[in-house]
Every structure is written in structure tokens, then in C-alpha cells.
Amino acid sequence: MKKTLFTLLVLLAGFAAADTTNSCKLPDVPTAREQAKQQNKPIIILRHGSDWLHDDAAICRKWQKIIDSPELAGKAVYGQFDDTTGQENGDVRKKILPVECFNMPEVVVMAADGTLMAVLPTKMVRGKEAGIIKVLSKMLEIHPEFIQLAEKANKTEGIEGAKAAGEALDLLYQRDAVRCGALHNVINKKDPEDTTGYRSQYCWEHMGMYRQINSKLQGGPEGQLKGADRKFDDAIKYVEKVLKNKRLKGERRQQWLCGLAYAHRERIRSTKGTDWTPCLKALKEAVDINPDNEIGIGAAKYHKYLNPDSYYVIKNDFYEGSDQTLHFEKEWRMDVTHHIKGPGTYTFSLVPCSNGRLDTRDFRVYVNGKLADQIDDDKKITKTVDFDLSSLPSGKAKVEVRLRATCRDGWFGCSGHIKMEKKK
């Protein structure tokens, strides 16, 4: 009986496994690409996780409705990539899909020749059918012009070839245009000086942009020059030229402004300069474009970090990594009112958690915004000082300690507690 039950379970498991290897009943990617090439239609690939994806069956049912919708029926070739083995299938995935995908489910749209046109993220694929159909309908609409321009880009030499590639990218959503490596390669090869502006416009992702800047900054792609010998003027002029591109707007322009700030920052640090104005100006322009998106928020934080006139407010009697400035000074301001118990002498201390190398100096105490006492000792290793608060005004007064701090060993080594104790 046990043997029969075991055999039955094995057979059922085998049946289940066989049934889920192609759970949406769509062709695999190589088959779909061949069909698309023959029919000159775009390819729409659903990448999902088979039986281990909790809503796989529901996604497949919804996907079939999308395929059969009046807007899409018969107008594209459909397929699926069933990534049941996770990262073990990484090499296979890279060969058959023109873009690296990280989440599931996702939808990849390719032109008939296999050029990437769009990637629908997981949130959209799990969302409403109408949103998916809208994006896919746009891809179908632009496909004839896109593939014509892509073909021209590959066959035409020089600037005209790069221009055709850029015009093809103009048809796509921005988030997809920056991922279309095939057309980026055409632009890079046929217009290395970026006379069309398309290289900077679409090769703007973090690593791509900084590779371009560093190729100028370091004196060539191999980076032969180091430190103060690097070609800072060349890098800055290159980015300034990019920023003259009128098509460079929104996040793309923000990214390049941050790149300009990076080039200025490298020159200031390497030459031990003190004028941060050009760097701060570029970061502020990036923030002004959109202070609420990821780039704007990051630029604002870095602007405050680099601005010598800014200061950090330390709260809750604890200083941590986010309060540190590595290798240059920043003013700290700490409200210690809750520690004050009438007039007298108070000992203020910084108690590091990990014996971090935090250099501090220029200790001052303010009462209601006015300087009440300061320490003449300007040593950069001070952690404990005494303040004279014998002449506190009557009633409750706001007491604030200010100092200059520099972190010397990274972010995490300089966290600690703040104490303000009245001496007996």
C-alpha cells in the first residue's frame, strides 16, 4: 500500500511539473522571435515564474484576455520565458532577452528584429488590464517607424546612422530608451563625439554617464592620469557641452547636472581648493528641476553635505552616520535644554560607541540664540568641555551647544551619545 501511494505521488508530481513548464501555453522566446521575424511583427514576451509564483495562474488568465483584446489580437507575436531555475538560467536569459530583468512577472516588448522597445515592470503586469493594453498598443503603433529607423541606423554610416538610432529612441518611453543597448551601441560607434546629442541624452544612467565623464577626466579610457594631474577642464567642458543639448530635460538633465557637480568636486578635492560655488550651483540646478524625485532628493542632500555654510541639527542626544562629514568639517547644533537644571557649570561630552576617530573643536554654548560661553582650546581631539551657565535668564531658556566636527574613519565609526551634566 505504501509503495503504491509513493508511486502515485511521484506520478502526480511529474504530471504537475510537466504541466507548469509552460503554464501560459505560449511559445518560448526563440520560437516567438523566429515567428516575429517572418511576420514582421513586434514580439511581446511574458516573463514569469511558473508554479512557484503565487499568482501565476491568475496572471496567465489575465494575459490571455489581453492577447484576445480587440486592440491587440493578431497584431503581435506572443511568447513567454519561464524562469523556473532563477539565476541558474542567467546566461540563457541574457542570450534570448535583450535586457537584464530582475523581478517577476515582467513583460518585454521587442521589435521584429529583436531590438528592445519596452519593459513593463512587475507592478504594471500585476495591475489593471487597461494599463497594460495602453502601453502595448503604443508599441504596436510605433513599431513600423521604429523598425524602419533601427534598420536605417544599422545600415547608414556616420552621423546620419547615429541620428536615425536617436530618432528611434525618441519614439520610446524614456525609461525604456535608456535600456535599449543595441541602439546605444550604434550611437556610440557612429557618433563618438556626440554631435547629435543622442549619446548624452539616452546614455544617461548612472554608470554610463560617469564612464563618459571619467574618460575625459582621467585622460583617456584607461585613466592614465591620477589625482591633481587629471584633466578637469576637459571633463567640465564636456559636460557643459552636453548640457547645451535642448532635448536634455527632466531627469536626464538632472543626472548630467549631478555629473557636472561631480567633475567640479573632483577638481576641488584633488587640488585642495576651497571654492565650492560651481559644484553647489550645479547641484542646486538639479534640485530646482524636480526636488521630489530620487535625483532631486539626493542632490539636495549632497548640496547640504558639501556646503560649508550648512550645519547639522543633532537630535535625541545621539549622533550617527547620517550626521558625519568624511574628511571635512561641518557644524553641529544640539538642543540640550532638557538637561539644564538651573544656573551653574555644565560638562558637555561626546561618548563614541565604537571609539571612532571624530575630530571636534570650537565648542560654544548659546542661550536663546546668543553666545553664552566658548572654549578657547582649539585642539581637534576634544570630546569633553565645561561650560559656564551661571548667568541663565529667569524662566525657561533654550540652550544649544555648537561645535565643529570631522569624521576620520568612515561613517559607522563615529556614532555615539551626547551628555550634558551639571557639575556639583
Side-chain angles (χ1 to χ4, degrees), residues 20-88:
T20 56
T21 54
N22 196 6
S23 54
C24 287
K25 310 303 181 186
L26 296 170
D28 59 21
V29 179
T31 301
R33 290 186 67 162
E34 185 60 33
Q35 291 175 357
K37 186 176 180 181
Q38 293 174 359
Q39 299 174 30
N40 196 32
K41 291 180 179 179
I43 321 160
I44 300 175
I45 301 296
L46 173 64
R47 180 173 176 268
H48 62 107
S50 189
D51 55 329
W52 57 263
L53 197 66
H54 72 90
D55 55 352
D56 180 65
I59 289 172
C60 288
R61 288 194 298 269
K62 180 171 71 174
W63 193 241
Q64 193 58 54
K65 291 180 182 179
I66 291 170
I67 293 173
D68 295 336
S69 67
E71 297 90 341
L72 303 178
K75 298 177 181 178
V77 172
Y78 298 90
Q80 73 170 15
F81 186 77
D82 190 354
D83 195 5
T84 56
T85 58
Q87 289 305 310
E88 294 176 8

Side-chain angles (χ1 to χ4, degrees), residues 363-367 370-373 387 389 399-401 420:
F363 285 77
R364 294 147 288 147
V365 64
Y366 286 74
V367 178
K370 294 183 179 181
L371 181 65
D373 193 16
F387 287 120
L389 293 176
V399 181
E400 184 182 57
V401 173
M420 184 76 168

Side-chain angles (χ1 to χ4, degrees), residues 95-129:
K95 289 179 181 178
I96 64 178
L97 293 177
V99 63
E100 181 63 79
C101 296
F102 300 98
N103 298 310
M104 285 187 272
E106 284 182 320
V107 169
V108 177
V109 184
M110 296 180 278
D113 64 354
T115 304
L116 178 72
M117 294 184 70
V119 178
L120 279 60
T122 299
K123 185 177 180 180
M124 179 177 286
V125 176
R126 284 200 167 111
K128 296 181 179 179
E129 295 169 20

Side-chain angles (χ1 to χ4, degrees), residues 342-359:
T345 300
Y346 286 80
T347 300
F348 175 85
S349 303
L350 296 174
V351 185
C353 291
S354 306
N355 296 317
R357 290 182 58 210
L358 180 68
D359 293 350

Side-chain angles (χ1 to χ4, degrees), residues 59-326:
I59 289 172
C60 288
R61 288 194 298 269
K62 180 171 71 174
W63 193 241
Q64 193 58 54
K65 291 180 182 179
I66 291 170
I67 293 173
D68 295 336
S69 67
E71 297 90 341
L72 303 178
K75 298 177 181 178
V77 172
Y78 298 90
Q80 73 170 15
F81 186 77
D82 190 354
D83 195 5
T84 56
T85 58
Q87 289 305 310
E88 294 176 8
N89 247 352
D91 292 338
V92 176
R93 180 167 63 249
K94 291 176 183 178
K95 289 179 181 178
I96 64 178
L97 293 177
V99 63
E100 181 63 79
C101 296
F102 300 98
N103 298 310
M104 285 187 272
E106 284 182 320
V107 169
V108 177
V109 184
M110 296 180 278
D113 64 354
T115 304
L116 178 72
M117 294 184 70
V119 178
L120 279 60
T122 299
K123 185 177 180 180
M124 179 177 286
V125 176
R126 284 200 167 111
K128 296 181 179 179
E129 295 169 20
I132 300 173
I133 291 173
K134 181 180 178 181
V135 174
L136 296 182
S137 295
K138 178 183 177 180
M139 295 301 104
L140 295 180
E141 181 183 346
I142 67 174
H143 179 260
E145 184 179 2
F146 178 84
I147 199 166
Q148 184 179 14
L149 287 168
E151 184 178 358
K152 180 180 178 182
N154 285 297
K155 290 184 177 180
T156 308
E157 294 302 321
I159 304 301
E160 288 303 311
K163 184 179 178 182
E167 289 174 351
L169 292 174
D170 284 339
L171 298 173
L172 306 179
Y173 290 108
Q174 177 184 315
R175 65 175 184 266
D176 298 313
V178 299
R179 301 180 72 179
C180 185
L183 292 179
H184 291 176
N185 292 337
V186 171
I187 295 170
N188 293 343
K189 180 180 178 181
K190 298 185 178 181
D191 185 18
E193 296 301 318
D194 198 21
T195 56
T196 62
Y198 279 118
R199 183 181 186 191
S200 55
Q201 183 176 353
Y202 288 119
C203 301
W204 69 282
E205 76 279 10
H206 179 82
M207 293 307 296
M209 183 194 72
Y210 283 105
R211 276 195 297 268
Q212 292 182 44
I213 295 174
N214 282 330
S215 70
K216 304 289 183 181
L217 181 65
Q218 297 176 353
E222 301 303 320
Q224 299 95 332
L225 304 180
K226 296 181 179 180
D229 293 327
R230 288 180 291 172
K231 298 184 178 181
F232 301 106
D233 288 340
D234 288 355
I236 291 169
K237 287 178 182 178
Y238 173 69
V239 182
E240 288 176 339
K241 176 187 172 183
V242 168
L243 288 167
K244 291 179 181 178
N245 181 355
K246 293 181 179 179
R247 290 193 300 269
L248 205 65
K249 298 178 182 179
E251 288 187 358
R252 287 170 286 181
R253 186 168 187 83
Q254 280 183 299
Q255 190 80 359
W256 277 102
L257 283 166
C258 291
L260 179 61
Y262 163 75
H264 281 299
R265 186 199 73 188
E266 288 299 296
R267 176 162 66 180
I268 295 166
R269 285 182 170 175
S270 298
T271 60
K272 298 183 179 180
T274 57
D275 183 11
W276 289 91
T277 306
C279 180
L280 296 174
K281 180 176 180 292
L283 289 170
K284 186 178 184 304
E285 286 185 39
V287 175
D288 289 343
I289 290 173
N290 186 346
D292 299 322
N293 66 4
E294 185 178 355
I295 300 174
I297 292 170
K301 287 183 178 180
Y302 216 75
H303 185 281
K304 183 175 183 178
Y305 178 86
L306 294 173
N307 186 354
D309 297 325
S310 68
Y311 58 86
Y312 289 145
V313 176
I314 311 301
K315 301 178 180 178
N316 303 321
D317 293 339
F318 185 77
Y319 59 95
E320 54 186 342
S322 61
D323 304 317
Q324 307 304 327
T325 49
L326 188 60

